[in-house]
Amino acid sequence: MNFTQTQKYEIILKEVKEKGFEYALSNSLTLLMQAEREIHNAENEDVSNGYRLRHTYGSGNVLELRVPRTRYGGFKPMLLGILKSRE
């Protein structure tokens, strides 16, 4: 499914208005980690195995992330390391 830039913007803006910026940010970060997991799976012959909840704190806010995991447990998202170093 391909969206135009205008459609993408409208979807994101609607999500932010309805559920808040933290929700939109959490979903965006989860999608980035999912893409990273797909690369990991292809390179390491691993398979996806659900998610685990993880909370990160910053600027007085709590952000709940759904961190993808793999069957063999070797997947560690780079994004979490970046977020941890920012705290």
Side-chain angles (χ1 to χ4, degrees):
M1 182 180 297
N2 293 323
F3 293 105
T4 66
Q5 286 294 91
T6 303
Q7 290 171 322
K8 291 176 189 176
Y9 178 76
E10 289 173 1
I11 292 167
I12 292 169
L13 186 61
K14 180 180 179 189
E15 186 174 285
V16 169
K17 282 182 180 178
E18 289 179 358
K19 298 180 181 175
F21 177 73
E22 287 82 12
Y23 180 82
L25 180 60
S26 175
N27 280 347
S28 299
L29 295 175
T30 298
L31 288 173
L32 286 171
M33 289 187 286
Q34 285 175 343
E36 188 179 348
R37 177 179 65 180
E38 292 305 316
I39 294 168
H40 167 84
N41 288 349
E43 292 175 352
N44 297 287
E45 297 181 9
D46 206 346
V47 291
S48 301
N49 191 26
Y51 300 88
R52 59 183 157 76
L53 291 180
R54 178 92 182 249
H55 295 91
T56 184
Y57 307 91
S59 303
N61 295 320
V62 177
L63 189 62
E64 186 176 280
L65 299 174
R66 288 176 15 130
V67 179
R69 59 184 183 191
T70 59
R71 170 104 5 119
Y72 303 118
F75 175 65
K76 305 284 188 262
M78 289 188 298
L79 184 62
L80 290 181
I82 294 169
L83 290 174
K84 189 173 185 175
S85 69
R86 299 289 301 185
E87 295 175 347

